[in-house]
Amino acid sequence: MSKLRYRNKLQGFISAALLAASPVLHATPFPVEAMFEAEGTAPGAPWVLENEGGNVVSGGAYLSTPADLVRADTPGAAAQLSYPVAVPRDGTYTIWLRVLAPAASAASLYLAVDSAAYASVAVPVPVGQPARWTWVPVTRWLAAGARELKIKYREAGLGIDCLLVTALADFVPQGYGVYPLPTVLPPAGEHPRLFARGGDLAAIRGRFESDAQEMATHRAALTTFIEAPAVVALPLFVPGGPARSNHQTELVSRIKAKALHSLLYEHGFPAAQAPRGREAVQMLLDYLAAVQFAPGYNHPNEKGEVILASAMVYDWCFNLMSAQQRAYVVTRFTQLAATMEIGFPPSRQGAVVGHGSDNQLLRDQLSAAIAFYDEAPLVYNIVAGRFFADYIAPRNYAYAAQAYHQGASYGTVRFLADMYAAWLFRRMGAAPVFDPVQQMMPYHWLYARRPDGQWMRDGDVYHSSYTNSTQYWSEPLAFLLPATYYNNSTLKHEYLKQSLQQSTNFIHTKDSIWPVLLGNTTMGSTPSPAVLPLTKYFPDPAGLMIARTGWTDGERIQVQSGNVIATMKLGGDWFGNHEHYDAGHFQIYYKGGLAIDSGIYSGKDVADPSIPLEYGSAHDMNYHKRTIAHNSMLVYDPGEHFDGYANDGGQRFPGEEPQTLAELANGYKVASVLRQQQVGTEAGAPDFSYIKGDLTAAYSSKVRQFQRSFVFLNLKNADHPAALIVFDKVSASDAGFKKTWLLHSQGEPEISGDTVVIRRTEWDYNHTLQYNGKLINRTLLPANAVLAKVGGSGNEFSVGGTNYAIQPEAEYSTEEAGAWRLEVSPPGPSETDLFLNVMQVMDASSALPALPTTAIDSPLLAGVKIKDRVVLFSKSGLPLDGTVAVELPAQSASMQVLVTDLQAGSWTVSKRGTGGPIEDEVNADGGTLYFIANGGGWYDLRRGAGSTSRAAAALPASPAVP
């Protein structure tokens, strides 16, 4: 096989970057656990230096023997290759050689250690298979000190790339060297260094002993674990039986708690004075010997807990363990880690989303890497090497949005894994590894908190499957860890608030160790969210705005709160995994979910409730994740295909979940925010919250252009608290492709002409809380629109005539799956259509009429007047310039007017037949003009000239990073 064919077969296997960080210094023995280059030694005949390029071999070169040589049946006088290795201690080591054998008949070499005799080493090459680089292990007992590895020629055409000597008996270096060696290193020779150093112990002890209410339950849980019997008695594990493991979470929690006690109260003491530490060590050794997992069972959580406990005992009780015990712990780590989903080396999964973004690497394997660093630096080089190469950039990119792309449930879990990594490096003594905007991510969930204790739905949501209506949705550690890391009192307030609620999960006892290790009982917990602006914009790559009319703080759950919440999601990058195809989606909550996110993530089969329906089910892939389950736009092309799933007329599949940031940049952008602004006269409480985006990229070529604008109106009136206006311009590539505007609801829509009423008046499962919300939607455009409702029993999740049925896992659950949807479509085919829908909310029990809505139409503008507010949009979707004239409806009182889609610059507003004009500045980010109209009549808007009289200022888009 030619070198070119080798290169094509092996492209991308190992980077030269690692070797650039591992200089060739053969005069000095190489350390164990470091990979080094075969070509670093001076070759003599018959060895030849080959240059192959860094994408094929490490270091860009390797040594080979000519293909025409005769096989050497014994080690002859030809020059040997010599590699000195510094062995730290006596023991059994594995010598790994990366070898290329051109054929099964030429697949061996000679190897010797020091003065021992040479022995042949066979390279496994199946007969008839093409040549490929292969790692070949050779096990030898090596005495401590400077040892010499010697290689001699045996077969013609054999190549040698690099070598690695390791004490990790179960380590296979497949993929080792892909990432550069990390430059941020643990403090060598120092213990503790895992989540604590010596200087941290006094503060951690103080928290553990604190009388603060927030610490009481955690101290009690840990004390119970500490004082529990130091006995490991795992259930008998039967291979092939129903149990996938005999792992016991409580036993692992005991081990960690005893190790923590030893760290705090026995650190530096001799073994005789460290009884809890000795218990922790012995329990860990017994546990590692007894725990078993079924073959092929690679779910990472249980194995990660064992690895984390191993790292904590290793680091915190280091002086209480023998070298042999520590070596055993490291060996068991490699055995367990290799069978995790991400593997070891941890290279099987992506670094952007998915299980590769859980605790596997970011907490558990990193913890082990830091703990084992002195004795097994290879583990740190591999794990931290990938962390710094692959994990930081996509997170900092996503953090800029200040909203987590994995939504309400999985977002908190994945973000918590990021925070563990941040704390690991801080407590190790390193500088911050992430952009400090990281601390803004939990504001996504702060703003999405509903008065009934739940979150506005986003992505795959599992909290609703197991929570009762009286329970507060809670993910406390996702707020505590950033609160204490960044000294953020707002997040600390939310953490404490969750601790005071009735919740299914404040902090599980197994996690009581984290408030002690990483909490802060002395920091303040104010201000509450009530001081935050009512609207927050979450920029690219989220493209999201959440607007509220108030904050619900203090009491546990307030279903009758008058606060309105609206989420307006345009979108940005589609990250996949637990994210939906929902660009342009909106939701409205007022005394109940009114405009909702439909479907169930975690439920069960209607026909056979014993069958769970979860991620990837027919309901999930044909309905729940799809555009049809959201309040967005459908454009139905009958010839479109969705990889075998139902044609819902919705948004395209960008691809599999992206593995890297570079992959995310290629085809995963589905929407772009064009304008956003918050306008009004009261700081922090905008009258108008506006966001506009281009969603064309979310669809296939069936859509030539789709722009959507949202304006949320905080009407500041208890009887009619808020309205949401949605304006769309949609152009299809074929006039025959039907366009459908969607609005999902729990209750059946009541249609009367161009108006629809949706009510929420049901009681909760416990019959203690009753919703009382009503939404009224009027469709102003298209003219003569066709309004239809779809749903009802047996048709709740219908796509193309097929109902993808599902039911909640539990009767008491808080699922808000929806049973109905309103579909609004133009009366006939057209390439381009405008949609203008105005939704307002009020009490379902109110005897008052809904606010009247008046359509406004001019050659350039379309809009609506509701109450004392007017909102206008450019019909073309393009920013307007020059002179724009519009007639406002007759009204004796003044009106607040927001004109969108204007070119940046100085604009004047004049009412015909009245005094001087008003002048205001339109900025490029918002493109809006706000003014007070003195009654109805014709108004002329002109760009570029006029007098000077300010109207009102735009409000800040979001709070600054604390």
Side-chain angles (χ1 to χ4, degrees):
M1 179 180 289
S2 70
K3 291 182 182 178
L4 178 60
R5 290 181 65 192
Y6 291 154
R7 180 179 295 112
N8 291 339
K9 291 286 290 181
L10 301 166
Q11 185 77 17
F13 183 80
I14 285 191
S15 164
L18 172 67
L19 291 314
S22 302
V24 177
L25 298 172
H26 283 289
T28 303
F30 278 93
V32 167
E33 315 292 359
M35 189 170 74
F36 54 95
E37 293 304 309
E39 69 271 14
T41 191
W47 299 100
V48 178
L49 181 66
E50 302 277 5
N51 293 298
E52 196 67 19
N55 287 325
V56 177
V57 294
S58 62
Y62 67 98
L63 298 179
S64 71
T65 53
D68 57 356
L69 292 181
V70 177
R71 171 176 173 165
D73 290 326
T74 60
Q80 71 180 13
L81 304 177
S82 176
Y83 306 97
V85 180
V87 178
R89 62 187 65 84
D90 294 356
T92 300
Y93 291 82
T94 302
I95 303 164
W96 287 94
L97 309 172
R98 189 166 184 255
V99 178
L100 176 70
S105 59
S108 61
L109 50 79
Y110 290 114
L111 174 71
V113 178
D114 294 337
S115 58
Y118 278 95
S120 64
V121 175
V123 180
V125 179
V127 175
Q129 295 295 311
R132 60 191 177 96
W133 287 102
T134 302
W135 283 101
V136 179
V138 180
T139 302
R140 293 287 187 273
W141 172 269
L142 300 180
R147 305 271 69 83
E148 183 184 19
L149 304 183
K150 299 182 291 186
I151 295 174
K152 282 201 171 188
Y153 151 76
R154 188 169 192 247
E155 300 282 5
L158 192 83
I160 304 176
D161 181 22
C162 49
L163 302 87
L164 171 70
V165 180
T166 176
L168 304 183
D170 292 277
F171 171 68
V172 178
Q174 199 72 22
Y176 182 40
V178 171
Y179 304 104
L181 287 173
T183 57
V184 177
L185 303 176
E190 179 182 332
H191 296 280
R193 61 191 178 210
L194 179 65
F195 290 116
R197 295 178 73 181
D200 301 312
L201 298 185
I204 297 173
R205 259 193 311 270
R207 280 194 292 280
F208 184 66
E209 298 169 359
S210 171
D211 292 331
Q213 181 182 1
E214 64 182 278
M215 201 54 61
T217 57
H218 308 308
R219 181 173 59 253
L222 290 171
T223 300
T224 299
F225 290 143
I226 291 166
E227 296 175 351
V231 177
V232 171
L234 296 183
L236 178 67
F237 179 74
V238 180
R244 296 179 297 179
S245 171
N246 61 353
H247 169 73
Q248 296 287 299
T249 296
E250 182 171 330
L251 278 176
V252 174
S253 298
R254 291 184 194 178
I255 294 170
K256 293 190 292 186
K258 290 174 184 289
L260 176 65
H261 183 277
S262 183
L263 174 69
L264 298 182
Y265 299 104
E266 300 173 351
H267 183 61
F269 289 5
Q273 300 176 34
R276 297 303 187 193
R278 294 200 313 274
E279 289 178 354
V281 169
Q282 192 57 54
M283 285 185 72
L284 176 67
L285 297 175
D286 292 345
Y287 196 90
L288 290 176
V291 69
Q292 291 181 271
F293 296 91
Y297 175 52
N298 62 4
H299 199 275
N301 293 338
E302 293 91 341
K303 294 175 183 178
E305 284 290 338
V306 177
I307 288 170
L308 177 64
S310 300
M312 287 175 168
V313 173
Y314 191 103
D315 182 62
W316 298 348
C317 305
F318 184 84
N319 292 328
L320 307 178
M321 302 177 73
S322 68
Q324 290 76 13
Q325 289 172 332
R326 291 194 289 268
Y328 174 70
V329 171
V330 175
T331 296
R332 286 295 283 136
F333 159 78
T334 58
Q335 293 170 342
L336 287 170
T339 62
M340 297 174 84
E341 281 185 304
I342 200 169
F344 183 77
S347 57
R348 293 182 193 154
Q349 294 175 312
V352 180
V353 292
H355 288 183
S357 292
D358 283 340
N359 289 332
Q360 294 183 88
L361 182 146
L362 290 165
R363 186 190 69 179
D364 303 330
Q365 290 199 24
L366 263 180
S367 293
I370 293 168
F372 305 160
Y373 177 67
D374 296 309
E375 294 73 35
L378 176 148
V379 177
Y380 185 82
N381 291 343
I382 289 173
V383 179
R386 185 173 189 208
F387 171 78
F388 284 106
D390 276 4
Y391 277 76
I392 294 177
R395 276 153 186 76
N396 285 344
Y397 175 76
Y399 292 157
Q402 304 178 32
Y404 211 105
H405 46 76
Q406 294 301 283
S409 290
Y410 284 95
T412 53
V413 173
R414 300 275 161 80
F415 176 70
L416 182 57
D418 296 356
M419 286 309 309
Y420 284 127
W423 271 109
L424 277 167
F425 286 100
R426 167 174 279 191
R427 284 288 175 82
M428 195 179 80
V433 292
F434 295 120
D435 189 310
V437 77
Q438 179 188 51
Q439 69 183 294
M440 298 303 294
M441 300 301 276
Y443 284 72
H444 182 186
W445 307 302
L446 275 178
Y447 273 83
R449 176 73 71 182
R450 303 183 348 177
D452 62 356
Q454 302 173 32
W455 279 314
M456 301 292 276
R457 293 354 185 217
D458 184 22
D460 290 342
V461 176
Y462 56 72
H463 285 79
S464 53
S465 68
Y466 63 82
T467 53
N468 191 295
S469 56
T470 61
Q471 294 169 327
Y472 193 82
W473 288 15
S474 172
E475 289 294 343
L477 289 177
F479 289 87
L480 175 64
L481 267 59
T484 53
Y485 188 95
Y486 290 106
N487 197 32
N488 187 309
S489 57
T490 298
L491 300 184
K492 178 68 181 292
H493 175 87
E494 174 63 19
Y495 164 74
L496 292 178
K497 181 179 175 182
Q498 292 186 22
S499 71
L500 299 175
Q501 312 298 331
Q502 180 181 354
S503 170
T504 57
N505 171 29
F506 172 53
I507 291 183
H508 192 284
T509 54
K510 72 182 180 67
D511 289 324
S512 283
I513 197 168
W514 300 116
V516 175
L517 279 174
L518 305 177
N520 187 341
T521 55
T522 64
M523 72 175 287
S525 62
T526 55
S528 74
V531 304
L532 296 175
L534 292 177
T535 296
K536 180 167 173 57
Y537 169 56
F538 300 87
D540 192 66
L544 170 71
M545 182 175 281
I546 302 180
R548 309 175 61 99
T549 61
W551 292 98
T552 308
D553 201 29
E555 296 181 20
R556 180 168 55 88
I557 286 175
Q558 302 179 40
V559 167
Q560 291 305 314
S561 166
N563 293 331
V564 183
I565 308 170
T567 61
M568 299 164 275
K569 178 180 181 180
L570 292 172
D573 289 359
W574 186 83
F575 285 80
N577 195 212
H578 296 291
E579 189 173 11
H580 293 183
Y581 304 97
D582 61 353
H585 177 51
F586 63 88
Q587 296 174 73
I588 303 174
Y589 175 95
Y590 175 68
K591 297 186 178 181
L594 297 173
I596 66 167
D597 191 341
S598 181
I600 293 178
Y601 169 64
S602 182
K604 56 187 181 182
D605 188 80
V606 173
D608 185 353
S610 66
I611 301 175
L613 298 181
E614 297 177 334
Y615 189 95
S617 70
H619 172 82
D620 187 46
M621 297 303 296
N622 291 284
Y623 182 81
H624 172 245
K625 280 187 170 65
R626 303 289 294 282
T627 312
I628 199 169
H630 302 84
N631 301 320
S632 190
M633 184 71 67
L634 303 180
V635 179
Y636 184 74
D637 170 5
E640 188 171 17
H641 298 281
F642 289 89
D643 296 339
Y645 297 107
N647 180 356
D648 68 332
Q651 295 164 14
R652 66 183 177 91
F653 294 175
E656 298 296 328
E657 61 186 47
Q659 302 291 298
T660 64
L661 183 59
E663 186 178 339
L664 179 67
N666 185 21
Y668 288 84
K669 180 69 70 178
V670 296
S672 301
V673 174
L674 302 175
R675 301 281 189 273
Q676 69 85 22
Q677 197 161 27
Q678 297 151 47
V679 178
T681 56
E682 184 181 350
D687 299 293
F688 301 86
S689 299
Y690 164 63
I691 185 170
K692 175 182 179 178
D694 190 320
L695 286 69
T696 309
Y699 297 80
S700 67
S701 59
K702 67 185 179 184
V703 174
R704 287 195 292 106
Q705 186 187 58
F706 176 23
Q707 292 184 352
R708 169 160 280 192
S709 297
F710 294 110
V711 179
F712 178 80
L713 306 179
N714 183 352
L715 298 175
K716 301 177 181 177
N717 179 282
D719 294 324
H720 301 96
L724 177 65
I725 302 169
V726 184
F727 178 72
D728 300 304
K729 181 189 176 188
V730 193
S731 298
S733 58
D734 187 315
F737 293 165
K738 182 181 179 182
K739 309 175 189 71
T740 304
W741 187 92
L742 298 175
L743 174 60
H744 286 268
S745 61
Q746 286 286 91
E748 182 175 359
E750 305 164 19
I751 301 176
S752 177
D754 61 6
T755 301
V756 170
V757 176
I758 293 169
R759 305 173 194 271
R760 289 293 301 276
T761 57
E762 73 272 20
W763 288 84
D764 72 328
Y765 172 79
N766 303 288
H767 209 74
T768 57
L769 307 171
Q770 184 182 21
Y771 291 116
N772 185 33
K774 179 168 65 174
L775 180 148
I776 303 100
N777 177 71
R778 185 181 176 205
T779 300
L780 301 177
L781 291 175
N784 302 313
V786 178
L787 277 63
K789 57 186 176 183
V790 176
S793 179
N795 204 35
E796 302 94 333
F797 314 114
S798 175
V799 183
T802 299
N803 189 50
Y804 295 94
I806 194 172
Q807 63 179 321
E809 287 186 342
E811 188 178 357
Y812 60 78
S813 73
T814 50
E815 295 289 6
E816 204 166 70
W820 295 90
R821 67 178 182 260
L822 170 70
E823 297 187 345
V824 179
S825 296
S830 175
E831 285 191 7
T832 300
D833 288 285
L834 301 181
F835 291 77
L836 179 58
N837 287 273
V838 184
M839 290 163 278
Q840 57 178 294
V841 298
M842 59 188 299
D843 286 2
S845 61
S846 174
L848 295 173
L851 294 171
T853 53
T854 305
I856 300 173
D857 183 60
S858 76
L860 298 177
L861 295 171
V864 62
K865 172 188 170 294
I866 178 170
K867 199 172 180 287
D868 61 347
R869 310 289 179 86
V870 173
V871 179
L872 299 165
F873 306 93
S874 167
K875 288 182 175 179
S876 69
L878 300 174
L880 301 176
D881 200 354
T883 300
V884 180
V886 62
E887 183 179 15
L888 300 184
Q891 178 167 310
S892 58
S894 62
M895 294 174 280
Q896 298 183 63
V897 181
L898 183 74
V899 186
T900 69
D901 300 317
L902 298 180
Q903 287 278 12
S906 180
W907 283 76
T908 61
V909 180
S910 301
K911 182 179 181 182
R912 295 178 188 176
T914 64
I918 299 171
E919 181 179 333
D920 204 355
E921 199 72 22
V922 172
N923 66 52
D925 290 337
T928 66
L929 180 65
Y930 171 87
F931 65 94
I932 305 299
N934 185 19
W938 279 95
Y939 286 79
D940 294 312
L941 287 61
R942 293 184 177 87
R943 180 173 177 266
S947 61
T948 57
S949 176
R950 295 288 296 171
L955 300 175
S958 60
V961 176

